[in-house]
Amino acid sequence: MVRYAALKGLYELEKTIGSGGFAKVKLATHVATGEKVAIKIMEKTTLGEDLPRVKLEVEALKTLLHQHICRLYQVIETESHYFMVIEYCSGGELFDHIVEKNRLSETDSRKFFRQIVSAVAYMHSLGYAHRDLKPENVLLDKDENLKLIDFGLCAKPKMGMQAHLYTSCGSPTYAAPELIMGKKYLGSEVDIWSMGVLLYALLCGFLPFDDNNLENLYRKILTGRYEEPYWLSDDSKTLIRLMLQIDPAKRITIQELCNHPWIRTNFLRPVSFIHRTKFEKDDEVLSTMSAISGNNSTDIWKKLMQSDRTDYRTATYLLLLDRKLRGLSLKIAPVMKPYFKQGINGINFPQREAKVNNFITKLDHSPRSKVNNGQSPVIDMTYNVLPNENDENKFTEPCAPVRKRLRSKESDDVSSPVPIKRPPENRSVTTPTQSSTPDSKHVQTSTPGSARKVMLGLERGLNRVRHVLTPKRRMKNENMDSDEPNVLSGKGLSNVSATCSGCPKHVLSKLRRALRQKGIMCRQKGYILQGETEESFSEDKKHSSKSISAQNTCSFELEVCLLEIGPNGKRLVGIRRKRLKGDAWVYKRVCEEILALTVEDISIDPEGSSESKCPI
Ligand code: 6BE
């Protein structure tokens, strides 16, 4: 594992949770508080033209302080790297959440969407446009609150939000028509369009404009025609139409959005936000820091205010503040200051690090807090902190209850001027009544539609058992060249589809065959196949708006594993999937197609069915 000297004593790196483009994101622990953080690591030599994006993101995140925008705690620049220390969002991507649930209910969608609207309204009010809003750039923290990430494409026009922009950027599927046409556009207006696509994706589980071919995709976006599934309520249809309005001047504005009936359904008040760009001064956090560092609170606050908000002191302050806001205690046990201590290899910490590392705290939950070497007494200071009243929004005014929405099945027959409608049976999404037993005999085709059906059907069955089971054995090294597949149960069953086969080797060979059939090259490590999509899933060579990144490739991993879910502990063979890099929707489509092909193949040639003998 690579060790970075610049992080020594400050952050302890753990596993990599994502990599893509020019950055790698690792989980880490902030040593002084024991709190988890995410660290975005970028190598200067590979940054090249993307260097301005890093600077842009750092500048934006230093200013943006909002409960639904991922907090930047610290930036460390070395000769070779940039490290951005960012808020930890253990829930992962909103995208994966949608995929797992197929689609979200109106209530869940509203809860999430209000948080996005609040964050976007806040940043717009400060003159920033995000320009790359999509579910992959929305993470969930452990309390299922949303956090926007990836401000590398944001814009803050010098002349304010009313100034036009010219650079085409963002993901094509979320790009507004005016952006695709290469016209000048307003940052606020293109963000609203992307949010319309996002809301649609939440409520439907698929995209309003989608095509393997980029030119066709652009054509669809420019017509502004999309399908309205029957399960959408009238208010949500109206709202989506107002957001996916091809004429940007007619598109709903962010203020109108905050007040829209759908947003306010179920007694909710308009979305609002606090216009804050300065840290709130918290005396309890400051006295905790004072108790540890020996400096007085006033000096610490003064230093925080003089800093450029990217140092270790800032990180510690913000992490302690987050703790307090979550209602946790600020119980601390000070240990030796690192600059008095020798480094792991007996080498003293470099001067630069010693300077930023002014204090060190150990919170009671940190495993290291017990390691005190008898050097310093444990100061048992517990601050009683009341959890902040839910601070999604600081509502501007009390308001009367709004009519509760009832979902109308008949709404399907109501004609609408713009969006295309198809009868519900044309929809490729399973209904809750559909059988969850993987009955591969019913799988006749391998179109994406039926593929989706197969996968979701399989998933339903799995979801049901997921919570009942406990993890059994999970091999530590997943990449081990092993003769036996991993056995998954309980928690390990997310992103796993069951097959009706009892023979892992058989499934593996069918999986390889399906990948070959799709023209996807793959590498094999034991029961793991790693593949990367190419031409067949991205047929755009000659698209016009070159500056729109055609992120339509992805790399992924498919692992044949054993699932302990059968009756009497019977093991079924499953396929676990994992997105490694690249576009999430491409990944979803590829996996659906590959899995449908594999399942179909197994059912035609059931050599490895659970009834027959299998060597393993
Ligand atoms: C700013 C990009 C970022 O990530 C996932 C977890 C934890 C933290 C999920 C799985 C363990 C915890 C088993 C980009 C991409 C990697 C999602 N820019 C982040 C911040 C960021 C990522 N996390 N937190 C912040 C994150 C994601 N897991 N579970």
Side-chain angles (χ1 to χ4, degrees):
M1 201 183 101
V2 197
R3 288 194 192 283
Y4 299 102
L7 302 180
K8 206 157 133 191
L10 308 179
Y11 297 94
E12 273 167 20
L13 283 183
E14 290 152 39
K15 65 176 180 186
T16 304
I17 40 169
S19 60
F22 50 83
K24 166 162 83 181
V25 179
K26 278 180 175 283
L27 297 188
T29 303
H30 177 262
V31 173
T33 60
E35 293 286 305
K36 292 254 174 271
V37 293
I39 304 190
K40 195 160 153 179
I41 304 172
M42 290 147 289
E43 218 183 302
K44 285 184 177 175
T45 53
T46 53
L47 273 176
E49 286 177 2
D50 290 317
L51 178 66
R53 284 183 62 169
V54 179
K55 305 238 171 199
L56 204 62
E57 179 164 35
V58 168
E59 282 315 308
L61 288 180
K62 266 170 32 180
T63 311
L64 300 173
L65 305 177
H66 186 275
Q67 63 272 44
H68 299 301
I69 294 179
C70 219
R71 245 332 145 82
L72 177 70
Y73 297 128
Q74 184 176 9
V75 182
I76 298 172
E77 183 182 349
T78 67
E79 227 157 72
S80 53
H81 289 86
Y82 285 102
F83 300 89
M84 286 173 69
V85 183
I86 319 177
E87 189 172 354
Y88 182 81
C89 308
S90 61
E93 290 176 25
L94 176 61
F95 173 82
D96 295 318
H97 197 77
I98 305 172
V99 169
E100 182 157 338
K101 296 219 158 124
N102 181 18
R103 61 173 195 258
L104 305 187
S105 68
E106 294 238 344
T107 308
D108 287 349
S109 301
R110 181 178 299 107
K111 177 202 147 188
F112 287 146
F113 196 65
R114 283 177 65 95
Q115 299 187 348
I116 298 171
V117 172
S118 171
V120 173
Y122 163 79
M123 62 186 288
H124 284 186
S125 78
L126 290 170
Y128 288 90
H130 188 284
R131 300 200 293 183
D132 198 15
L133 293 169
K134 53 182 177 183
E136 299 91 308
N137 281 341
V138 181
L139 304 185
L140 291 159
D141 70 8
K142 68 167 187 354
D143 303 318
E144 294 216 328
N145 282 312
L146 294 190
K147 308 276 172 178
L148 286 190
I149 58 161
D150 213 342
F151 289 72
L153 291 178
C154 77
K156 187 181 192 262
K158 283 200 181 70
M159 308 301 287
M161 275 305 252
Q162 287 316 307
H164 283 95
L165 300 166
Y166 296 89
T167 320
S168 297
C169 54
S171 170
T173 33
Y174 296 85
E178 66 270 26
L179 228 154
I180 282 169
M181 289 194 288
K183 284 188 186 169
K184 62 179 185 184
Y185 63 91
L186 290 181
S188 52
E189 292 171 350
V190 302
D191 275 353
I192 299 279
W193 176 279
S194 312
M195 286 163 79
V197 178
L198 213 149
L199 176 59
Y200 185 98
L202 288 174
L203 290 165
C204 302
F206 46 87
L207 293 162
F209 312 104
D210 201 4
D211 205 291
N212 282 341
N213 178 290
L214 205 56
E215 258 173 66
N216 289 341
L217 172 65
Y218 288 162
R219 209 166 295 137
K220 288 178 185 174
I221 294 171
L222 293 176
T223 64
R225 290 162 72 85
Y226 57 89
E227 188 183 324
E228 281 182 332
Y230 64 91
W231 58 79
L232 291 179
S233 68
D234 289 343
D235 275 352
S236 68
K237 282 188 221 175
T238 311
L239 179 56
I240 291 168
R241 267 178 236 162
L242 289 167
M243 300 176 85
L244 298 182
Q245 172 61 246
I246 46 175
D247 180 354
K250 289 192 194 141
R251 210 169 289 154
I252 189 169
T253 67
I254 193 84
Q255 288 82 12
E256 290 162 345
L257 187 53
C258 291
N259 261 304
H260 190 272
W262 185 82
I263 293 281
R264 296 178 59 167
T265 303
N266 293 341
F267 306 92
L268 290 170
R269 282 158 263 206
V271 171
S272 65
F273 54 87
I274 302 176
H275 205 287
R276 196 205 318 270
T277 54
K278 288 198 167 71
F279 300 154
E280 63 244 76
K281 186 167 180 233
D282 190 290
D283 290 331
E284 279 162 324
V285 169
L286 286 173
S287 48
T288 303
M289 286 172 69
S290 157
I292 306 142
S293 64
N295 300 324
N296 74 50
S297 295
T298 322
D299 287 347
I300 296 172
W301 182 248
K302 215 185 277 167
K303 284 200 177 110
L304 277 169
M305 289 303 101
Q306 285 161 357
S307 78
D308 73 342
R309 297 187 180 187
T310 59
D311 54 353
Y312 198 65
R313 183 186 290 107
T314 303
T316 309
Y317 181 80
L318 292 174
L319 283 162
L320 288 173
L321 194 59
D322 284 352
R323 251 188 93 78
K324 182 177 165 174
L325 295 177
R326 275 181 283 139
L328 297 173
S329 80
L330 301 179
K331 196 170 166 182
I332 49 140
V335 296
M336 289 184 303
K337 295 178 185 180
Y339 48 92
F340 294 148
K341 210 168 59 175
Q342 293 227 305
I344 295 158
N345 303 318
I347 304 156
N348 283 315
F349 284 107
Q351 197 52 43
R352 196 189 57 76
E353 282 176 11
K355 240 172 71 191
V356 287
N357 208 1
N358 256 343
F359 33 74
I360 189 152
T361 64
K362 294 286 178 190
L363 294 166
D364 54 349
H365 72 124
S366 160
R368 262 160 279 99
S369 64
K370 295 185 186 74
V371 188
N372 209 343
N373 299 338
Q375 306 263 343
S376 54
V378 175
I379 303 175
D380 199 347
M381 282 196 303
T382 307
Y383 294 88
N384 285 326
V385 177
L386 286 170
N388 241 25
E389 52 174 290
N390 192 351
D391 49 1
E392 184 224 325
N393 300 299
K394 295 282 181 282
F395 299 127
T396 45
E397 77 214 39
C399 80
V402 178
R403 166 178 65 101
K404 207 173 168 146
R405 265 242 57 77
L406 286 171
R407 190 98 72 69
S408 131
K409 290 227 169 78
E410 285 75 45
S411 62
D412 219 21
D413 304 317
V414 181
S415 66
S416 107
V418 182
I420 324 158
K421 271 200 220 87
R422 267 186 246 147
E425 54 266 30
N426 276 7
R427 279 281 4 122
S428 49
V429 173
T430 51
T431 59
T433 47
Q434 197 162 330
S435 161
S436 60
T437 338
D439 187 354
S440 46
K441 287 194 184 67
H442 291 161
V443 184
Q444 246 110 54
T445 63
S446 61
T447 61
S450 73
R452 190 177 292 154
K453 224 176 221 168
V454 170
M455 195 152 116
L456 294 170
L458 298 170
E459 227 111 273
R460 286 249 158 65
L462 277 174
N463 281 338
R464 210 166 291 158
V465 287
R466 190 175 295 163
H467 309 289
V468 188
L469 300 160
T470 49
K472 268 264 164 66
R473 179 173 73 92
R474 186 94 179 92
M475 230 177 252
K476 249 210 155 147
N477 184 356
E478 291 186 330
N479 294 339
M480 229 165 79
D481 217 281
S482 121
D483 229 27
E484 263 192 77
N486 268 324
V487 181
L488 303 184
S489 59
K491 258 194 154 179
L493 286 177
S494 62
N495 300 323
V496 183
S497 303
T499 70
C500 56
S501 170
C503 177
K505 289 228 162 97
H506 181 66
V507 174
L508 189 64
S509 83
K510 295 298 180 196
L511 200 54
R512 290 177 60 108
R513 207 176 116 164
L515 283 159
R516 228 178 12 250
Q517 230 171 305
K518 285 276 167 198
I520 297 172
M521 300 276 283
C522 69
R523 282 196 310 178
Q524 184 172 354
K525 288 181 188 165
Y527 283 91
I528 297 175
L529 297 174
Q530 287 182 341
E532 187 161 350
T533 64
E534 285 183 275
E535 302 310 306
S536 60
F537 287 93
S538 57
E539 301 154 22
D540 60 287
K541 278 272 131 126
K542 42 189 185 322
H543 60 90
S544 46
S545 319
K546 285 231 172 55
S547 39
I548 296 185
S549 52
Q551 302 161 332
N552 40 7
T553 63
C554 79
S555 65
F556 57 90
E557 192 174 276
L558 292 168
E559 179 188 2
V560 174
C561 49
L562 289 168
L563 313 174
E564 291 215 315
I565 56 166
N568 339 315
K570 204 161 138 188
R571 286 178 179 180
L572 269 180
V573 178
I575 302 169
R576 184 187 58 83
R577 59 186 183 278
K578 185 179 178 187
R579 180 162 63 97
L580 299 174
K581 235 187 232 178
D583 185 81
W585 296 97
V586 173
Y587 158 79
K588 186 174 184 252
R589 188 161 56 211
V590 174
C591 286
E592 282 164 357
E593 295 187 21
I594 299 290
L595 290 179
L597 265 180
T598 309
V599 170
E600 183 189 0
D601 203 5
I602 292 169
S603 69
I604 294 166
D605 172 21
E607 171 207 316
S609 80
S610 29
E611 286 77 41
S612 63
K613 291 270 175 293
C614 178
I616 304 171

